[in-house]
Amino acid sequence: MFSSLRVRLPLLFLAGILLAGLITTLIAIQLFREFAHDETLSQVRREANGISLLYADAIREDFDASQKNSRSAPTFAAARLRETTGDRIYYVGNPPFPGEKSGLPTLGQKIDWVSGKSLTFEFTPPGAQKAYYAAGSPVLFHGRAVGMIVVAKPKTDVNARVFSLVWRLAVAGLLGLIVAGLLAFYLSRRLVRPVLALSRAADEVAGGNYAVAVPDGGAGEIGHLTERFGEMAAKLAEAETRERNFLMSVSHELRTPLTAIRGHVAAIADGVVEDPDAQAHSLAIVAAEAARLERLVGDILDLAKLDAHRFTVLREEVDMEQLVGRAYETFSEQARERGIALQLEVRAAPVIVSDGDRVLQIVDNFLSNAFKATPDGGRIDLALSQTNGSVTVAVEDTGPGIKPELRERLFRPFVSGGGGTGLGLTISRELSTALGGRIDLDTELGKGSRFALVLPA
Ligand code: ADP
């Protein structure tokens, strides 16, 4: 279950958010603790200042008026402060009036009040269990410190404030987490949906169904992946169709001569053909069809090797002038018989490193096609030339030219204008590629065609 993107993504989102929330909360708590600590100290400092001023005023008035009953002011203020804030007020130092009590509890701890400087400290008052933050402020009489007022606040007050903050943060965090979780779930579903659809489509393709509807992946990386996946599935479908067509064509091509051979052999065996001339004719057909079969099987084998890149080309010195001369010789007799003007034009005599037999095979194929296309009394030009870096052998005929729709498919296996196997040009092109060259074709309906083999010099 945890290996599924659908589960992993939202969990990952949530874990990230949780971690970020936790770190932020810890930092916030630490900052708040420091702030609350400073705030509490400055509060007790202010309170101590206020009470010590009141106390000093009361002492002064007593001295001035020699009335001892006005001492109630500071003790009254201290009592109210204690009542409202829960803070403790202490007096440290000499009695304000000789023989008189301060009216405030004394601090059971020695602190430096003589220097007359304000101070802050932490302590545990006598009889108390908790620690207190405290601030002391001097009581000044005629510029001299006579004692000190100390205001103390329990540390637990600060902790309680921090705890209340943590509690609120926890509630807010929980709410945030629920919202973030829902959002993460929604977003990851949106993100994962096209991936899942693509994965289902891939399953279909793996199962052999190439006509699968590829989902729309939108823009971005997933969209790009989806688009390419669709193209890939289409190409696979095309390849499968091509393979099926190829097999069908091969079996058809093989069966045609076989049917002819079987027919003639059966006719002779059954004594249907008894006339020696007719028998000789039948045998000639059988021989021709057998030769055709042999050629066909050889071509298919060549094609299969070329397809599998298991075709080995020789690298030898090839005298191109000699090579086109041989091709010319092969066809000159046929040209003479049919009154076709076969012209050989050698504009350069390059020697290249290539596979001579394969080059000759291609040129022979061009010439054979040209002779098939050219009517008796026509003209065929065989030309050898060299231009910077490449050698060209061109065969130009005065045949009918090639229709655009056939031209498109001409180099595919078993595409034939009629009569042939439709493998010649396919093999020629594969061979030319294996030799590092290419085939160029110019053709014009009613005028003729020019097939040119271009090889690296
Ligand atoms: P095949 O000659 O066995 O049919 P190819 O692959 O050599 O196979 O040729 C395929 C088809 O291309 C031919 O059947 C023919 O229709 C057309 N073709 C090839 N060369 C020429 C040409 N010079 N002029 C007109 N058509 C041509």
Side-chain angles (χ1 to χ4, degrees):
M1 182 180 118
F2 286 102
S3 63
S4 162
L5 261 188
R6 234 178 317 184
V7 179
R8 269 206 320 219
L9 261 185
L11 281 185
L12 215 67
F13 274 140
L14 269 187
I17 291 164
L18 202 67
L19 194 70
L22 218 64
I23 291 172
T24 318
T25 308
L26 285 178
I27 292 174
I29 289 172
Q30 186 54 33
L31 287 177
F32 187 73
R33 273 176 82 110
E34 283 167 18
F35 170 76
H37 174 262
D38 294 350
E39 184 69 1
T40 306
L41 278 184
S42 81
Q43 191 188 339
V44 286
R45 210 179 286 132
R46 277 198 306 274
E47 287 173 3
N49 275 345
I51 303 273
S52 72
L53 283 177
L54 280 174
Y55 212 86
D57 282 351
I59 296 172
R60 212 167 16 253
E61 273 173 30
D62 268 5
F63 260 97
D64 291 350
S66 299
Q67 290 171 353
K68 292 172 186 177
N69 53 1
S70 62
R71 272 195 320 259
S72 58
T75 44
F76 170 72
R80 289 300 290 271
L81 187 69
R82 184 172 184 159
E83 206 174 279
T84 48
T85 62
D87 296 350
R88 295 190 179 200
I89 325 285
Y90 300 96
Y91 183 82
V92 198
N94 292 333
F97 303 104
E100 293 262 352
K101 284 191 175 155
S102 66
L104 293 169
T106 45
L107 189 75
Q109 181 159 345
K110 273 194 178 164
I111 52 166
D112 172 27
W113 62 267
V114 186
S115 63
K117 283 188 187 135
S118 298
L119 46 93
T120 51
F121 56 98
E122 289 179 29
F123 80 116
T124 309
Q129 261 111 46
K130 297 178 276 185
Y132 278 62
Y133 287 124
S137 185
V139 178
L140 299 175
F141 185 61
H142 292 303
R144 231 171 40 108
V146 292
M148 182 170 261
I149 295 288
V150 173
V151 176
K153 194 183 258 310
K155 271 175 110 172
T156 43
D157 278 13
V158 181
N159 291 343
R161 284 174 73 189
V162 174
F163 180 76
S164 117
L165 173 84
V166 172
W167 173 244
R168 282 177 212 185
L169 275 177
V171 171
L174 198 71
L175 282 177
L177 210 65
I178 291 171
V179 173
L182 290 174
L183 207 68
F185 182 69
Y186 168 74
L187 282 179
S188 50
R189 260 183 78 96
R190 277 197 62 159
L191 219 70
V192 167
R193 200 182 301 141
V195 178
L196 288 182
L198 203 59
S199 146
R200 278 194 294 272
D203 285 346
E204 288 278 321
V205 170
N209 174 21
Y210 303 122
V212 62
V214 183
D216 177 23
E221 289 87 345
I222 294 187
H224 179 79
L225 183 66
T226 310
E227 206 176 295
R228 290 285 169 276
F229 181 85
E231 285 171 18
M232 195 183 75
K235 281 201 175 126
L236 276 174
E238 205 181 293
E240 197 194 42
T241 313
R242 239 191 354 248
E243 192 184 342
R244 198 180 311 121
N245 288 348
F246 182 82
L247 275 178
M248 271 161 44
S249 308
V250 167
S251 7
H252 176 77
E253 290 299 324
L254 290 176
R255 190 173 288 150
T256 314
L258 279 175
T259 312
I261 291 171
R262 260 180 56 180
H264 283 282
V265 170
I268 294 171
D270 294 349
V272 178
V273 186
E274 285 182 341
D275 175 34
D277 280 352
Q279 277 189 357
H281 176 69
S282 285
L283 284 176
I285 291 177
V286 168
E289 291 299 325
R292 189 159 118 91
L293 263 181
E294 200 179 352
R295 215 173 44 240
L296 196 67
V297 171
D299 281 356
I300 292 169
L301 210 64
D302 270 358
L303 207 59
K305 281 187 194 160
L306 281 164
D307 238 15
H309 299 287
R310 278 198 291 161
F311 194 80
T312 42
V313 282
L314 297 179
R315 299 196 59 75
E316 58 193 1
E317 286 201 342
V318 181
D319 181 339
M320 289 300 289
E321 185 181 9
Q322 205 184 339
L323 187 138
V324 291
R326 271 174 66 193
Y328 177 81
E329 288 303 323
T330 311
F331 286 88
S332 56
E333 183 53 27
Q334 190 186 152
R336 198 187 54 76
E337 275 174 14
R338 293 177 51 198
I340 291 175
L342 177 62
Q343 306 284 334
L344 173 63
E345 191 184 339
V346 179
R347 289 182 218 136
V351 175
I352 61 169
V353 176
S354 192
D355 187 327
D357 282 350
R358 296 304 178 182
V359 177
L360 191 60
Q361 186 180 348
I362 299 171
V363 178
D364 278 352
N365 181 239
F366 287 173
L367 280 168
S368 147
N369 281 346
F371 270 89
K372 274 190 238 164
T374 306
D376 291 358
R379 179 194 163 108
I380 294 172
D381 289 320
L382 172 61
L384 171 65
S385 60
Q386 182 174 22
T387 43
N388 42 13
S390 58
V391 170
T392 304
V393 185
V395 175
E396 194 168 353
D397 63 54
T398 50
I402 300 163
K403 292 194 193 102
E405 60 270 25
L406 181 62
R407 197 197 147 137
E408 292 289 304
R409 303 176 295 124
L410 213 56
F411 294 94
R412 293 192 198 156
F414 303 108
V415 172
S416 170
T421 60
L423 287 175
L425 284 178
T426 312
I427 293 173
S428 294
R429 182 148 84 178
E430 295 291 329
L431 278 176
S432 69
T433 310
L435 295 173
R438 63 170 200 274
I439 291 174
D440 288 344
L441 166 60
D442 286 313
T443 181
E444 199 177 329
L445 274 181
K447 283 208 162 167
S449 313
R450 179 179 181 271
F451 283 85
L453 169 66
V454 184
L455 290 171

